[in-house]
Each structure stands twice: as structure tokens, then as C-alpha cells.
Amino acid sequence: MIRLKKSPADVAVTFALAEEAVTGPVSVVGDFNGWTPGTHTLKKRSNGTRSIVVKLPVGEQVRFRYLADGGVWLDDPTAHAHDEQGSLLHL
């Protein structure tokens, strides 16, 4: 699940997954963090999700995927678009 909160300077993007979607640690990786696992690891929340907020520039197109334990890749069904390389957001 994606939530966007825009300000004049940036967009706070909340990347979230249901806690039971996968086991073990999950990172959101994308062109905004050099596709580096562990840079943005989702944290467990009391509402049954795992999430992280990343501030990104307004007007950008962002490509990303979730990377779970064991090399399992996940796309976000709530992203603006999808292609063979993952999920896309238009900020």
C-alpha cells in the first residue's frame, strides 16, 4: 500500500505491506536508494502492517520493488503503474 503526502518541497511516500505478506525482513529498494537492500527496511506497526516513510522530490518518477528475506521480490499493487522492472510512482 502506498500513501503520498505532498508538500511544496517534497513528497512523503509511505511504503507499507501487510505484516503477513512475507516472513522476515523486507526492504523497499528502488532508483531513489540505488537498489540497495537494508537502506529502507520496513518496520512492524501496531496496525498489522510494516512500513517506512521516504521523502522524495516532487515531480519525479520513481521505480521500486520490495525485497523480502530469501531474495523474494514483490511489487506493490497500489503503485501508479507496473512493468517488467517493478512498480512505478509519479510524484
Side-chain angles (χ1 to χ4, degrees):
M1 170 176 51
I2 301 291
R3 288 189 304 270
L4 304 175
K5 186 174 181 182
K6 292 185 179 184
S7 74
D10 56 29
V11 180
V13 181
T14 301
F15 296 95
L17 288 174
E19 189 173 339
E20 68 276 358
V22 293
T23 59
V26 180
S27 295
V28 61
V29 295
D31 48 17
F32 58 89
N33 65 10
W35 295 89
T36 306
T39 302
H40 295 102
T41 301
L42 280 66
K43 309 262 188 271
K44 289 185 182 185
R45 307 296 179 197
S46 60
N47 65 359
T49 66
R50 293 187 248 188
S51 67
I52 190 164
V53 177
V54 180
K55 290 191 176 186
L56 300 171
V58 173
E60 296 286 319
Q61 176 174 288
V62 175
R63 184 178 309 278
F64 73 96
R65 296 187 86 189
Y66 299 105
L67 179 58
D69 202 29
V72 176
W73 290 97
L74 303 161
D75 290 316
D76 195 311
T78 64
H80 297 142
H82 300 87
D83 64 18
E84 65 281 349
Q85 297 176 355
S87 302
L88 294 167
L89 290 177
H90 306 286
L91 307 175

